[in-house]
Amino acid sequence: MEIEILRIIDRESSTVHFHCKAGEAWGVWQGDSEANLGTHHIEIDVPNPPQSFKTHASVIPLVAGDPWNQNSGVTISGKLESLGEDSIACILVDQDIVMVELTPGNEEPRVGTGIECHVTAIHLYPLNL
C-alpha cells in the first residue's frame, strides 16, 4: 500500500499520521530506520484481533483513525477475499490485502461480502520496491 506520512506524532513510539487512497489514520512505524515524512510503500499488520467487526453487503474501502487521538483505534474496511481455518481474514482494501485474525463470534463472515473491523492499532512495515 502506498502511504504518505504527513506528521510524526511521537518519535519515541514511532507513531505516525498518514494518508492513503483509502483514508487517513495513525499507525506505528516498524521500519529499521526512523519514519520520515513523504511517500512510502508499506504493508499493514494488525497486531491484535479486532475489538469488533461487522459484515455488510458492500463496503467502501477504508483505513481511518483519528490521528489526534490514538486511543480511538483504527477502522479497516473492504471486501473479504478469504477466511482461513485459522480465522485469518484477508481483506481487500482498495488494491491491497490486509490480514486480520478474527476471533470467533456470533457472526461468521462470508467471502465476497464487505467487512468492517475496529482495531486498537496498526503496524506499518516499509517495503523496498
Side-chain angles (χ1 to χ4, degrees), residues 1-9 15-27 29 35-44 63 67 96 122 124 126:
M1 176 178 287
E2 184 176 283
I3 66 167
E4 180 183 2
I5 295 179
L6 304 172
R7 176 172 64 99
I8 308 298
I9 295 172
T15 305
V16 300
H17 169 196
F18 71 93
H19 170 79
C20 65
K21 283 184 179 181
E24 191 170 324
W26 63 274
W29 185 258
N36 53 42
L37 302 180
T39 302
H40 303 273
H41 287 72
I42 58 99
E43 180 177 303
I44 291 179
V63 175
D96 299 285
I122 59 174
L124 310 173

Side-chain angles (χ1 to χ4, degrees), residues 34-104:
E34 281 190 356
N36 53 42
L37 302 180
T39 302
H40 303 273
H41 287 72
I42 58 99
E43 180 177 303
I44 291 179
D45 177 61
V46 179
N48 300 307
Q51 295 171 304
S52 65
F53 69 90
K54 295 186 269 188
T55 58
H56 304 277
S58 65
V59 69
I60 295 171
L62 179 70
V63 175
D66 182 354
W68 303 102
N69 178 9
Q70 291 81 54
N71 293 325
S72 66
V74 177
T75 299
I76 298 170
S77 66
K79 179 183 169 192
L80 183 61
E81 287 290 299
S82 67
L83 181 61
E85 290 180 17
D86 55 0
S87 297
I88 301 295
C90 293
I91 302 170
L92 182 63
V93 179
D94 194 34
Q95 297 177 2
D96 299 285
I97 295 289
V98 176
M99 295 191 328
V100 177
E101 181 182 357
L102 300 179
T103 54

